[in-house]
Amino acid sequence: MGMLLTTLAFLVIHIVPSTPLRALATRLIGERLYLGLFSVASLAGLAWMAYAYKQATFFALWPGLHLVPVAVTPFAFVLLACGVLARNPMLTGQAGALKHPEAARGMLRITRHPVMWAIMLWAGSHVLAIGSLQAAIMFGGLFLLAAAGTTLQDARKAAQLGDDWRRFAARTSNVPFVAIAQGRNVLSLREIGWLNPTIGLALFGVLLYFHGWLFGMRAY
């Protein structure tokens, strides 16, 4: 029960920014203070959820597919690094990048939500790998939050940014490779480059090496 409550609380914290409550809060306390409080609440919610996960009784639902994260998570870290380190108008404070005539470049040609898809791949692979009720609740909750976050972000950006957003959305897709398959964009490995993907893979390697020390279990 505690695992379910903490996961619901974490989801609520992250749904608020896509409701009229955000506009009200920013009018009352300002954008910077709101973002600071949201970050603190988000980290606190994640820590509470992780604590509840550790305390929950293990209840197996299926045999854990332990090698799934090893196969899937490298792609998640590449998406994460490319989404965070490159110019990305979906990130806070970077909406001005939509003014660029080629805003949908690099990894954004594949999906306009590389960070959210990174979370979905990471969380979904852990649901399959662990195969327990508490993993299904916690990691499944993170997966659903990221999936819902892509559509909620799109709706918020469309309302805030108007024509700039519509030009960007016409060249991109939420689901990876859909815009490319439809001919609205083209894949450019040259734009993605090698540095950011290498950083992502290096971070994955560090996490894999220290997984047992950090989380009390081997990753493979």
Side-chain angles (χ1 to χ4, degrees):
M1 187 64 178
M3 185 76 259
L4 183 60
L5 288 176
T6 55
T7 301
L8 287 174
F10 187 77
L11 294 177
V12 168
I13 290 170
H14 287 81
I15 289 173
V16 166
S18 297
T19 70
L21 290 175
R22 172 175 178 150
L24 176 62
T26 54
R27 283 198 300 270
L28 291 174
I29 63 176
E31 181 76 12
R32 182 172 297 181
L33 180 56
Y34 166 80
L35 290 175
L37 291 175
F38 171 77
S39 298
V40 170
S42 179
L43 290 174
L46 184 61
W48 185 25
M49 190 164 56
Y51 174 78
Y53 177 81
K54 294 288 286 184
Q55 298 301 311
T57 302
F58 185 87
F59 185 85
L61 296 176
W62 59 79
L65 306 175
H66 302 297
L67 292 180
V68 171
V70 179
V72 173
T73 307
F75 298 100
F77 273 80
V78 169
L79 284 169
L80 180 65
C82 291
V84 171
L85 299 177
R87 185 186 64 215
N88 184 354
M90 300 306 297
L91 297 180
T92 300
Q94 294 194 34
L98 291 179
K99 298 290 186 183
H100 193 281
E102 280 288 339
R105 292 171 55 84
M107 189 60 73
L108 299 180
R109 293 181 183 272
I110 296 175
T111 171
R112 60 176 170 263
H113 292 291
V115 174
M116 291 297 191
W117 277 94
I119 295 171
M120 280 189 270
L121 288 175
W122 173 79
S125 69
H126 280 72
V127 171
L128 295 175
I130 299 171
S132 69
L133 179 61
Q134 65 265 46
I137 293 173
M138 187 178 92
F139 291 106
L142 292 173
F143 180 93
L144 292 175
L145 176 63
T150 60
T151 57
L152 292 173
Q153 274 193 2
D154 284 355
R156 187 171 73 247
K157 295 286 186 179
Q160 292 174 342
L161 303 173
D163 289 340
D164 288 336
W165 169 258
R166 282 187 282 275
R167 282 193 299 271
F168 178 68
R171 294 274 291 159
T172 61
S173 61
N174 178 350
V175 179
F177 295 104
V178 168
I180 293 171
Q182 293 176 340
R184 294 186 284 121
N185 213 319
V186 294
L187 179 64
S188 176
L189 297 178
R190 180 181 59 81
E191 287 179 3
I192 295 173
W194 60 269
L195 180 58
N196 290 342
T198 301
I199 291 173
L201 291 174
L203 290 174
F204 167 73
V206 171
L207 179 63
L208 188 67
Y209 184 80
F210 288 105
H211 198 278
W213 178 70
L214 290 170
F215 304 109
M217 65 181 70
R218 288 169 61 90
Y220 52 91

